[in-house]
Amino acid sequence: LDDAVNVDLSFAREGRTAVITGRVSADLEVICQRCLEPLWIEVRSSVNLGVVTSIDEGDLLPEHYEPLLLTEARIPFGDIVEDELILAIPPIPRHADCEPAEFKTGDAAEKTSEHRNPFAELEKLKTDNS
């Protein structure tokens, strides 16, 4: 797998609104949320953005556009691509056939049972002083 990001975006005007449409795709390495090992996923995202300067303008966009709030004179191109890729990552990435990570129960369980109850120790001190 490579680190390439494929970007095919068009910048245009629809009426008085600047729009960005197209697709972004990449193969990304993430962490499997079950086994906590690396996982390569294929990410593909359609881009349909309407550039707006206020939230009120965003409310007026046609339904098929997501608002892209312009806060500076320029929009960093890399930020647009990065945001779209992040939004396309599954909320819980995981291998299709992996099992959840196992918790260590051997030594950790034995150590837990070796610890004494602190209140029992206090009770012992109380009865010794009586």
Side-chain angles (χ1 to χ4, degrees):
L1 300 174
D2 58 33
D3 295 338
V5 175
N6 298 310
V7 180
D8 180 18
L9 296 178
S10 297
F11 300 82
R13 284 199 144 328
E14 192 171 290
R16 296 182 67 188
T17 305
V19 296
I20 304 169
T21 58
R23 298 189 58 76
V24 294
S25 61
D27 292 322
L28 303 176
E29 183 179 19
V30 297
I31 299 297
C32 173
Q33 297 301 298
R34 281 196 157 175
C35 66
L36 304 177
E37 295 295 326
L39 164 68
W40 283 94
I41 59 172
E42 184 178 349
V43 176
R44 307 285 178 257
S45 178
S46 294
V47 179
N48 291 305
L49 301 172
V51 181
V52 295
T53 57
S54 70
I55 294 173
D56 292 334
E57 282 183 34
D59 292 339
L60 298 174
L61 282 175
E63 195 171 304
H64 61 278
Y65 287 115
E66 291 289 325
L68 175 63
L69 186 60
L70 182 64
T71 57
E72 298 177 17
R74 294 182 179 198
I75 304 169
F77 180 75
D79 290 354
I80 295 170
V81 173
E82 180 181 22
D83 289 348
E84 291 299 319
L85 290 174
I86 289 171
L87 289 169
I89 294 173
I92 303 173
R94 62 183 183 260
H95 295 104
D97 59 346
C98 76
E99 296 296 322
E102 292 186 30
F103 295 102
K104 295 181 182 176
T105 56
D107 293 338
E110 289 175 21
K111 287 181 182 177
T112 303
S113 65
E114 289 176 11
H115 293 300
R116 295 183 184 179
N117 182 338
F119 296 107
E121 293 295 318
L122 288 174
E123 183 65 33
K124 182 180 173 188
L125 288 173
K126 182 178 169 186
T127 57
D128 288 344
N129 291 333
S130 305

